[in-house]
């Protein structure tokens, strides 16, 4: 691992552990350190080390803007949730203020859009009508788990984004994972928990379900865009606050059945090694330390991404080598996903392959806004990520 990464991680670890352990930063490291802080939206944590650098005043202003944005998002969150609640539409607050509240200084956690989850899909149309009648503007966005709205405050002209979820995360190629997610977060299974933030009580996911959601949220970002160190900080702070309330055996069961146990294990162990998560947290779960180093290095290289909209094609498994047969195999898997009933009849496969390929080409240019060759290159690159954490193919399954 590069020395600048080690230095940066030591600074972040101090924040996560509320420690004052000295971190040595050379003058030569300052530009790269500032760049990492900006890429990973952690400027407030690194700012004290940049006092002697010319960029200090600029980054100090960025911190002030982050803090202002925090309170603007807090106001937007409260009025949106209140509007829905006053009309008997309950929703779960995901991420955002809820996770920021776990930080030593909540205002230092970067906030982007507002994510709300409707566990009962039957309330979606009612919620949409209510929002649209109150100035929320629906955006034309392709998503399989949320609808997006813009809201502009008349007095300031400041615009905010609301993602109204009818599923907590998007669909996966592996159908069993989709089944488990749908069951865990269904209105009949999901219990309500509450969280008081600045004197207002929000409905949030219970701790065990919240952790499982965070794992899936990281998985989507890891596969499609990279998620940066910020989500690992979220995970660390949340587990430290709610450890006694989390049913880790249930987490193991859900992850094992979803075939994402390796992802959970590498996240947990990486948070222990690099962010100071206590060893007492799920103490029986461990992962290879060299793989954790590769994992954290990949995260630092990826940077922080603000969206999980797919710009690449992610496989249903991982492969030792990616070749022509690999692409055909993945095409066959996608054919079965697209035609779950018709694919049971092999005689129809040639026709279904052609239709699947045509849809793939259309989505490549219309949805991913890229080219056929670039999509294949991205697929090969993403395979290295799934190979590292063995997503959807646990060795014991």
């Amino acid at each position: 691992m590069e020395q600048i990464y080690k230095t940066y991680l030591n600074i972040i670890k101090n924040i996560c552990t509320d420690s004052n352990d000295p971190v040595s930063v050379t003058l030569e490291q300052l530009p790269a350190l500032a760049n990492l802080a900006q890429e990973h939206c952690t400027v407030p944590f690194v700012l004290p080390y940049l006092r002697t650098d010319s960029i200090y005043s600029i980054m100090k202003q960025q911190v002030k803007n982050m803090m202002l944005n925090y309170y603007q998002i807090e106001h937007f969150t409260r009025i949106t949730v209140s509007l829905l609640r006053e009309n008997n539409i309950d929703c779960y607050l995901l991420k955002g203020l809820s996770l920021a509240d776990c930080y030593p200084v909540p205002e230092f956690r970067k906030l982007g859009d507002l994510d709300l989850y409707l566990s009962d899909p039957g309330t979606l149309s009612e919620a949409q009508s209510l929002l649209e009648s109150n100035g929320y503007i629906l955006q034309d966005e392709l998503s399989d788990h949320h609808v997006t709205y813009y809201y502009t405050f008349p007095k300031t002209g400041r615009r905010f984004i609301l993602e109204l979820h009818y599923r907590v995360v998007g669909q996966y190629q592996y159908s069993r994972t989709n089944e488990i997610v749908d069951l865990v977060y269904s209105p009949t299974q999901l219990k309500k928990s509450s969280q008081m933030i600045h004197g207002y009580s929000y409905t949030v996911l219970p701790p065990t379900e919240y952790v499982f959601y965070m794992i899936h949220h990281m998985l989507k970002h890891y596969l499609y865009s990279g998620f940066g160190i910020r989500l690992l900080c979220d995970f660390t702070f949340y587990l430290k606050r709610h450890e006694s309330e989390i049913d880790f055996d249930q987490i193991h069961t859900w992850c094992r059945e979803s075939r994402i146990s390796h992802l959970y294990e590498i996240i947990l162990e990486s948070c222990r090694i690099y962010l100071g998560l206590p060893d007492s947290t799920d103490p029986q779960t461990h992962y290879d330390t060299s793989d954790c180093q590769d994992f954290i290095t990949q995260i630092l290289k990826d940077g922080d991404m603000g969206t999980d909209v797919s710009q690449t094609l992610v496989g249903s498994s991982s492969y030792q080598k990616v070749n022509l047969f690999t692409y055909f195999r993945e095409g066959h898997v996608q054919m079965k996903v697209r035609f779950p009933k018709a694919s049971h009849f092999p005689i129809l496969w040639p026709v279904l392959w052609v239709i699947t390929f045509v849809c793939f080409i259309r989505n490549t240019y219309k949805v991913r806004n890229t080219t056929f060759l670039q999509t294949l290159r991205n697929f090969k690159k993403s395979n290295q990520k799934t190979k590292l954490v063995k997503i959807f193919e646990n060795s014991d399954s």
Side-chain angles (χ1 to χ4, degrees):
M1 180 185 293
E2 296 179 29
Q3 183 58 47
I4 186 62
Y5 286 165
K6 294 178 181 179
T7 301
Y8 175 71
L9 288 171
N10 285 335
I11 293 173
I12 300 301
K13 186 174 184 178
N14 274 353
I15 298 298
C16 292
T17 57
D18 194 24
S19 172
N20 292 316
D21 291 345
V23 179
S24 177
V25 181
T26 66
L27 288 175
E28 292 75 16
Q29 288 180 318
L30 291 180
L33 186 61
N35 188 54
L36 274 171
Q38 290 177 312
E39 286 184 351
H40 291 269
C41 305
T42 53
V43 173
F45 306 142
V46 176
L47 187 64
Y49 297 87
L50 302 174
R51 292 184 184 276
T52 59
D53 195 72
S54 59
I55 201 174
Y56 177 75
S57 60
I58 296 175
M59 298 188 73
K60 186 177 179 180
Q61 185 60 47
Q62 290 179 6
V63 173
K64 291 181 180 179
N65 292 339
M66 282 181 62
M67 297 180 73
L68 174 61
N69 180 67
Y70 172 90
Y71 287 104
Q72 291 174 328
I73 290 284
E74 189 272 332
H75 178 60
F76 176 55
T77 301
R78 183 180 295 207
I79 65 167
T80 303
V81 171
S82 297
L83 174 63
L84 294 169
R85 188 173 289 175
E86 289 167 3
N87 288 271
N88 300 314
I89 302 173
D90 203 6
C91 57
Y92 291 80
L93 175 62
L94 301 176
K95 306 178 297 178
L97 290 177
S98 176
L99 292 177
D101 190 56
C102 298
Y103 280 61
V105 181
E107 295 90 339
F108 284 179
R109 199 271 186 185
K110 180 183 179 295
L111 300 182
D113 50 23
L114 167 61
D115 294 86
L116 299 177
Y117 172 56
L118 304 174
S119 62
D120 183 1
T123 63
L124 177 61
S125 59
E126 182 182 355
Q128 288 191 262
S129 297
L130 176 65
L131 292 169
E132 289 166 23
S133 65
N134 282 272
Y136 293 72
I137 309 300
L138 180 65
Q139 301 304 300
D140 184 15
E141 180 182 357
L142 182 65
S143 173
D144 61 1
H145 66 290
H146 72 259
V147 291
T148 300
Y149 283 93
Y150 286 167
Y151 181 81
T152 302
F153 283 95
K155 290 185 178 180
T156 64
R158 182 72 189 273
R159 187 179 70 178
F160 293 90
I161 301 173
L162 164 65
E163 289 188 356
L164 192 63
H165 292 245
Y166 47 88
R167 297 186 81 253
V168 290
V169 294
Q171 296 275 356
Y172 295 102
Q173 293 273 15
Y174 184 54
S175 59
R176 179 57 180 155
T177 303
N178 296 326
E179 293 171 1
I180 294 168
V181 169
D182 288 343
L183 177 62
V184 171
Y185 301 100
S186 66
T188 57
Q189 295 292 323
L190 189 60
K191 307 299 182 183
K192 294 180 181 178
S193 187
S194 61
Q195 183 177 2
M196 187 70 69
I197 305 174
H198 298 301
Y200 191 88
S201 180
Y202 293 93
T203 301
V204 294
L205 302 173
T208 303
E209 287 80 356
Y210 211 138
V211 171
F212 192 53
Y213 161 69
M214 292 172 73
I215 296 168
H216 278 286
H217 181 62
M218 284 188 277
L219 172 57
K220 282 291 186 178
H221 278 274
Y222 180 71
L223 291 175
Y224 290 115
S225 59
F227 61 71
I229 202 69
R230 181 166 54 115
L231 298 191
L232 290 185
C233 291
D234 289 347
F235 196 72
T236 299
F237 283 124
Y238 189 88
L239 262 62
K240 287 177 67 175
R241 173 176 289 191
H242 296 282
E243 178 182 352
S244 63
E245 307 167 72
I246 299 167
D247 184 346
F248 287 101
D249 288 337
Q250 182 64 76
I251 295 290
H252 296 165
T253 298
W254 287 337
C255 287
R256 184 173 58 252
E257 293 182 3
S258 303
R259 295 190 178 183
I260 59 171
S261 289
H262 290 288
L263 176 68
Y264 169 65
E265 292 162 3
I266 200 170
I267 288 173
L268 193 73
E269 190 73 1
S270 296
C271 288
R272 287 199 191 104
I273 297 171
Y274 299 104
L275 301 184
L277 183 69
D279 292 338
S280 60
T281 305
D282 198 2
Q284 304 305 314
T285 298
H286 293 283
Y287 208 78
D288 182 82
T289 55
S290 63
D291 284 346
C292 288
Q293 178 172 301
D294 292 341
F295 178 68
I296 202 79
T297 300
Q298 182 66 57
I299 286 173
L300 293 176
K301 287 181 178 179
D302 282 346
D304 186 279
M305 301 296 288
T307 177
D308 63 354
V309 175
S310 173
Q311 296 298 320
T312 187
L313 177 67
V314 176
S316 61
S317 187
S318 59
Y319 303 94
Q320 292 298 320
K321 294 182 179 180
V322 175
N323 50 35
L324 187 61
F325 175 75
T326 307
Y327 297 128
F328 179 82
R329 177 176 169 180
E330 277 303 313
H332 184 70
V333 170
Q334 291 192 34
M335 179 272 288
K336 291 195 292 185
V337 170
R338 184 175 292 275
F339 302 103
K341 295 181 178 179
S343 62
H344 288 297
F345 304 95
I347 194 174
L348 298 178
W349 285 358
V351 175
L352 300 181
W353 287 336
V354 171
I355 297 174
T356 301
F357 182 72
V358 170
C359 292
F360 166 71
I361 294 296
R362 182 195 62 193
N363 290 339
T364 293
Y365 290 91
K366 297 293 185 181
V367 177
R368 301 183 187 94
N369 296 315
T370 185
T371 64
F372 175 72
L373 290 178
Q374 186 60 48
T375 300
L376 297 186
R377 283 194 289 266
N378 289 342
F379 173 84
K380 188 173 183 178
K381 181 179 178 181
S382 69
N383 179 68
Q384 298 303 311
K385 295 183 178 182
T386 59
K387 183 178 177 182
L388 175 62
V389 295
K390 303 180 181 68
I391 296 164
F392 302 142
E393 56 168 5
N394 292 340
S395 58
D396 56 351
S397 61

